[in-house]
Structure formats: C-alpha cells, structure tokens
Amino acid sequence: MTLLHPTRVRRRRLGVAAAAAGLLATLLTAGPAVATPDPGDTPAQGKVSSGQAADTKAAIKSGEIPPVDAVVHSDNVEHLVNIPKEALKGTNSDLAFQGKYAYAGNYDGFRIFDISDPRAPKTVAQVLCPGSQNDISVSGDLLFLSTDSSRSDNSCNSTTQPATEKSSWEGMKIFDISDKRNPKYVAAVETFCGSHTHTLVPERRNVYIYVSSYSPSATFPDCRPPHDGISVIKVPRKAPEKAAVVNFPVLFPGEGPDGGGNPGSPTNPGVSKTTGCHDITVLPSRDLAAGACMGDGILFDIKDPEHPKVIDQVQDNVNFAFWHSATFNQKANKVVFTDELGGGGAATCNATIGPDRGADGIYDIVGRGDHRKLVFRSYYKIPRHQADTENCVAHNGSIIPVKGRDLMVQAWYQGGVSVWDFTDSSKPKEIAYFERGPLSADTLIGGGAWSAYYYNGYIYANDIAKGFDVLKIKDRRTDPAKRVRLHELNVQTQPDYFDRD
C-alpha cells in the first residue's frame, strides 16, 4: 500500500471547464486496475459513426444538449465545487460517509475527503491499492474495499494476472482508518469470483459483509459454475485479521449447472443470465434486503445475517437487461431496482432506446412476513435525452429523507444527477438535475456520475472522469431533509432515518 499525500488543486465553479489536477503522483510498481469484462460497470471508449457524431454536434448547436464539458442544472440546484482527480487516475467508483469525512473509491485505490466545509472539501489521504472496482464502505474504524479483478496476490502492490491461474487473488480488503491521514491495511479475505460489490450488515461486535460477484467460468479455478449465491464474511471488530467467509447461501436453488436464476439468452433474449448478484441493499432496522442479481430481483429476510432467506424473486424479460442495484423507500413498502442496460458503457438515454429500457423499475412490496411480494408499478428514466457519444444509464443513488415523500437522488453516468419523486409509484417525476455536456462530440468516452448520494444536507457525486462534485438543492420538497443528520452512511446499508411509523 502506498499513501499518497494530498496536494492543492484548482477547483471548478459553475459552467467552467475543469482545470488539470495538480500533482501527478508516481504510482511506483503497481499495475493499473483492470475491470472485469462482464456486463455491469464497464467503462466505455470507442468511435461512433459519422452520422452519430454529426447528430451530436447538431444537438449541441441547437441547444438540445450542453456543449462539451459545459455544466448545466435546474434552477433549484447549485454546483458548489468540483475536486478533480489527483494521484489516483483510475475510474472513480462508489462513496461512503462518516462524520465529517467522505470516502471515494477509485480503481487505483481510495481517497478520503474532509467535508466539514462542503464548499471546500480537503483531501486528507490518497491510498494506492489497485483492484477494480474498489467498491467502498466504512464501519467504525474499519474500511472495506472490494477487488473484482484478478490479481497476482492480495497486496496493494499486486499486478494483473489471468483468472485462469490458481494463484490469482480476488476478494475483500480491510483497512484500519482510526488515523484518517494514515490508513493501514490489516486483512484480506479471498472470495469465490472476487467481490464486484459488497454490503455491510453491522452488529455491535461483528460486521457481516455480503459479497456480490458473478460470471463464473469452468476455466477459472476459484470461480466455477454454478455460482448462484453470495459469500458472507464475518469480521470481528476487535480482531479484523480474523475475518473469514462463514457461509455461501444459495439464493437461486435449482437443477442444472446454473441453478434456478434467469437463464438469459436464448430463452430470454437480451437478458443477462443470473450467475450471482451485482449488488444488495439491506435495511437492518426491518431485517430486510433487496438484491439486484443480473437477470433477477429478489427480496430476502436477513434476521439471521449469516443465513439470509429469499422471500420473493421477480424478473422483467421485456425491458430489463441487467438488474444492477436496489433502494428501499423509508417505509420499506417499495423497492427501486435499476437496469444497467449496456453495462454502463453505452448511450442508452436517447429516443432510440426509449423511456422503459435502461431505466429504474419501481416495485411495491405487498403482503406480510414471508408472504411479501414485489409488484411492478412503473419505470422511471431521466427525461433529458443524451448524445450518442455519452454513456448513460440508471446507476447508484440514495433516498433523500423527507417524511411523507419518497424522494431519491441518482447518478446516470453522463446523464448526470437526477432528483426524482416516486411517492406515487405509478407516476414518478424528476424535480431537479445536474449534468455536464459530453466529454467528446466525436468519440464515446466513459465518464459521468458513478454515484450520487444525499448526506447531511448536501448531494455528493463521484464522477468517473471529472472527480468529486458537491451539489446543494434548494426546494421546498427536499428542504426538510436538511434536519436529518447521520454519523455514518453506507448507502447499501440503508439507515432508518425516522422512528418506525
């Protein structure tokens, strides 16, 4: 592990192109993180047709979309600041929060910000530890980092290595962050098929981790089919070096080599075969979890965190290609599932794709106990068409805590950040937005907001290419959320913002 010291950077205000980040740090001998070649969170880059490039330029000229790199937003949103990348030049990924700190994942490691003044965040530490996606979360003095790219070993100096080699390593890394300026790597746990994402189920003495991964192969010694479940890791808080996998619950039992999940193509053309989960969100106050599992959405009981139990399983073989993530509303009677059509690497927010594909699916939870069912109500997709050079699709977001309303802020890659209301499950609507113009008018370059989360009165977004953004929303519908204060937020471990109704 290499600790990279913070440098001063120039910050960008509204409507101004980003200045180059300050100091370029030497990355020593560590190799670059390489994303898994699976659907889901795949950075994009490639030429578009001459016609698509011409259409993009015409749309910019007519004002239909913003110019390259220009910042636009609704009147009720203020862009407070952008902090460009510094030493870590890889793809920016997820975010976590604790007190006055924000933790930002990056395929090359992670960065810690002091956000005590949201208008002027300061870099506290940058840690070089390559291994996509470096999905990140925190609990107490522990920080957790997912590795879903095959590495030569579990160190932060590892290099890429084929998954076909038995000695290759993928899994979870654990850091001690009691000293925010000097995080220490304390443990690692190898898991089947690595860790694309992970979700914490914290308890007083232990932290349980649900590890989501997928796409096994008979040629991978540590990731062979069937891979129809999740790894459960138990981490003793006082002895994190003893962290270990304690269970691998099968979520999709069934006959055949791939279990009982969605068979995908050719049975269901254009739908991903279910060979694991992409992401799980838990609501510990209700002993409930929702899983976005490639070709399936599931609801399950986590009363016994080591032995989660599936309650319901749903599919959408018409409009959903890849079930990516899940979010509960506060009353736990709705789930928003996202569809990452094109793996996050395609232009899917346009008239050709339409409003129902690459969208959110809103499901009501009806019934009680083990008889609860997920019932589809509607789709939500941003109403602003994007250029064919902009990768855009539903991605990571969080609830904005307002009693009596179901409000969410969400990242859409180069579609930007959307704030929307799904209080009426059948009639969702956007109420605010922030976005940039395309990174290029000629080439599809992967970028945009990976995650956009509401935390203690502000919206924080981690842009794949541009860095860390802070937004402020001023709207009577969201203003009551400013009174809700949290000490810690891992969005996939949803808090109970209010007393139970």
Side-chain angles (χ1 to χ4, degrees), residues 186-206:
V186 296
V189 181
E190 187 170 15
T191 55
F192 295 126
C193 300
S195 175
H196 195 70
T197 66
H198 69 269
T199 303
L200 304 187
V201 186
E203 293 188 334
R204 186 169 296 178
R205 294 182 179 179
N206 305 300

Side-chain angles (χ1 to χ4, degrees), residues 149-153 159-169:
S149 58
S150 188
R151 312 294 298 178
S152 56
D153 55 54
T159 57
T160 58
Q161 183 168 290
T164 52
E165 293 189 23
K166 177 61 180 172
S167 63
S168 294
W169 185 91

Side-chain angles (χ1 to χ4, degrees), residues 95-99 101-104 110-112 135-145 172 174-177 180 198-202 207 237 455 487-493:
L95 295 168
F97 304 89
Q98 191 180 65
Y101 297 102
Y103 302 82
F110 64 92
R111 187 174 181 181
I112 303 176
D135 192 44
I136 193 167
S137 57
V138 293
S139 183
D141 287 335
L142 299 177
L143 180 146
F144 305 91
L145 212 60
M172 290 297 309
I174 304 171
F175 293 77
D176 182 326
I177 52 169
K180 303 294 185 293
H198 69 269
T199 303
L200 304 187
V201 186
V207 179
R237 289 188 185 276
Y455 177 69
H487 173 66
E488 192 170 274
L489 178 63
N490 301 293
V491 169
Q492 287 73 35
T493 306

